[in-house]
Amino acid sequence: MSPQSPRPAEPGQRRPSVGVQIGRVIVGGGAPIVVQSMTNTDTEDPASTAKQIAELARAGSELVRITVNTPAAAAAVPRIVERLAMMGVDVPIIGDFHYNGHQLLENEPACAEALAKYRINPGNVGFGKKKDSQFAAIIEKAIEYRKPVRIGANWGSLDQSMVVALMDENAKRAEPWDAAHVAREALIRSAVDSARRAEQLGLPRERIILSCKVSGVQELIAVYRDLALRCDYALHLGLTEAGMGSKGITASSAALAVLLQEGIGDTVRISLTPEPGASRTGEVIVAQELLQTMGLRSFTPLVTACPGCGRTTSSFFQELAKTVQEHVREQMPLWRVQYDGVENLTLAVMGCVVNGPGESKHANLGISLPGNGEAPAAPVFIDGEKAMTLRGDNIANEFVGILDQYVATHYTQRAG
């Protein structure tokens, strides 16, 4: 495939891209879309960083990026990797370099060896006359240690010399582009031109991933649609600085869902600002749920639950839905190791007789609770058939027990 004119994906199909091996994980090349996350610990503290990496990996993050910004942080990387091995955590670690990556990789060869991938930003890898030499120095280290590289352009740190040149070029057009178009073009050229330069230096195409991050939904969609037509490198998706809570989740989902539906994207990160004191794993769960609800991958059993209405003023079905969801997430790390295919299990927790029995029949395992004024009985459906009726004050525990029994008897146990 020519890098200048890649074949776009048909609707519903993945965009063709070159596969990249990152540790034990394949990105692109038709492999499943990969979930990535990033730590927010001080990398100079190996204990806290390894602990958070382990939490992210156990939540389902398949790649974890860490900041490598100081000599002490670079020196800590091998110790972090060693700690993870002692904890039984096998997840590729990506080093995020800005400004001084060339020095850190040169001065800390153990760091260069321990990382599974390097991430560099062409907008701040170097400035003026030093830009080309410092970019080349990082690429040469990637070649020496046989590491893949993500070249990640960001509109918050664009190469200003390129922006000025494009503005001058645009001013000479018979019909000049608007400012947003010029900014998108600068972002794409920064990434693609840097990738081509890396190839000229000897880095194989199958060790290059690109990203072009912005913080606006429509801008991100426009940038990646254009980028996908102009190259066949594997692409990393993410809305940068997405925000906190529902805003960050909504914005990221709105942007990434459009691109993923069009077959664009080989790895994703949901860049959420965590609530104070909250776990960093929230961004992993959102990424998994986005991919799973779109039917692109399966990570954990999905729980269908009704929103509630005047027929269900009791909060019991809400509490049961929460209990079931939390039980599934707690058990999934163990189930994933023990049972093949359990991530495809579907569950339904419904609040009354209007849609409850029907939705429960569509799930592998469903329960329809009584609404207001209805008989205090909750029929349980297993694979579309009514299996039993639960009554009394212990319905939640009984249903969770039925769930555990279903998993143990309906999924093949992996060989030890």
Side-chain angles (χ1 to χ4, degrees), residues 77-107:
V77 170
R79 287 180 283 157
I80 291 168
V81 173
E82 288 173 3
R83 282 177 175 267
L84 291 169
M86 292 174 63
M87 298 163 71
V89 176
D90 179 19
V91 62
I93 306 303
I94 301 161
D96 191 46
F97 295 99
H98 296 274
Y99 306 108
N100 60 351
H102 60 293
Q103 295 174 336
L104 298 177
L105 290 169
E106 175 65 31
N107 296 335

Side-chain angles (χ1 to χ4, degrees), residues 72-146:
V77 170
R79 287 180 283 157
I80 291 168
V81 173
E82 288 173 3
R83 282 177 175 267
L84 291 169
M86 292 174 63
M87 298 163 71
V89 176
D90 179 19
V91 62
I93 306 303
I94 301 161
D96 191 46
F97 295 99
H98 296 274
Y99 306 108
N100 60 351
H102 60 293
Q103 295 174 336
L104 298 177
L105 290 169
E106 175 65 31
N107 296 335
E108 294 290 342
C111 168
E113 178 63 41
L115 292 169
K117 185 179 80 170
Y118 310 154
R119 187 268 181 169
I120 57 176
N121 183 338
N124 59 33
V125 72
F127 302 98
K129 295 179 180 179
K130 294 182 178 180
K131 177 182 177 181
D132 288 345
S133 62
Q134 292 177 185
F135 176 83
I138 295 176
I139 298 302
E140 286 165 5
K141 288 300 175 185
I143 295 169
E144 178 182 350
Y145 291 99
R146 301 184 63 82

Side-chain angles (χ1 to χ4, degrees), residues 176-315:
W177 295 339
D178 60 29
H181 192 161
V182 174
R184 292 198 300 271
E185 181 66 15
L187 197 64
I188 293 168
R189 284 199 197 179
S190 178
V192 174
D193 289 355
S194 296
R196 304 264 164 80
R197 172 63 176 151
E199 284 195 73
Q200 291 171 358
L201 291 167
L203 187 67
R205 295 179 64 72
E206 59 270 19
R207 291 194 209 145
I208 298 174
I209 297 175
L210 296 190
S211 66
C212 289
K213 295 220 183 155
V214 301
S215 57
V217 170
Q218 297 297 343
E219 290 85 354
L220 190 82
I221 293 170
V223 164
Y224 272 89
R225 280 174 171 167
D226 196 352
L227 178 63
L229 290 173
R230 291 164 66 171
C231 71
D232 63 355
Y233 298 109
L235 299 182
H236 169 77
L237 297 187
L239 189 73
T240 191
E241 291 96 33
M244 181 180 287
S246 60
K247 185 271 178 182
I249 294 171
T250 302
S252 292
S253 299
L256 270 59
V258 171
L259 294 168
L260 291 168
Q261 185 65 21
E262 295 178 3
I264 299 170
D266 301 293
T267 175
V268 300
R269 184 195 171 202
I270 305 295
S271 299
L272 295 182
T273 303
E275 300 282 350
S279 171
R280 190 73 164 179
T281 59
E283 66 178 51
V284 178
I285 293 171
V286 173
Q288 290 179 328
E289 290 181 347
L290 173 62
L291 294 174
Q292 187 155 353
T293 54
M294 292 186 68
L296 297 172
R297 285 195 65 183
S298 293
F299 296 96
T300 190
L302 288 180
V303 180
T304 298
C306 68
C309 66
R311 292 176 179 271
T312 58
T313 54
S314 168
S315 63

Side-chain angles (χ1 to χ4, degrees), residues 283-399:
E283 66 178 51
V284 178
I285 293 171
V286 173
Q288 290 179 328
E289 290 181 347
L290 173 62
L291 294 174
Q292 187 155 353
T293 54
M294 292 186 68
L296 297 172
R297 285 195 65 183
S298 293
F299 296 96
T300 190
L302 288 180
V303 180
T304 298
C306 68
C309 66
R311 292 176 179 271
T312 58
T313 54
S314 168
S315 63
F316 182 74
F317 89 91
Q318 299 164 327
E319 293 166 0
L320 176 57
K322 181 180 179 182
T323 296
V324 172
Q325 183 72 73
E326 290 177 347
H327 181 74
V328 166
R329 289 214 169 272
E330 289 171 0
Q331 293 299 310
M332 195 58 202
L334 181 61
W335 286 349
R336 189 182 293 114
V337 173
Q338 288 185 322
Y339 303 105
D340 280 320
V342 68
E343 65 275 7
N344 298 306
L345 172 67
T346 56
L347 303 163
V349 178
M350 304 301 294
C352 78
V353 297
V354 174
N355 292 317
E359 285 283 0
S360 296
K361 289 177 182 178
H362 288 304
N364 295 126
L365 185 61
I367 185 169
S368 179
L369 299 171
N372 298 337
E374 299 169 11
V380 174
F381 296 84
I382 298 178
D383 292 327
E385 301 293 333
K386 182 178 176 181
M388 65 198 73
T389 299
L390 302 182
R391 294 180 173 85
D393 299 327
N394 200 36
I395 289 177
N397 288 334
E398 290 179 15
F399 186 70

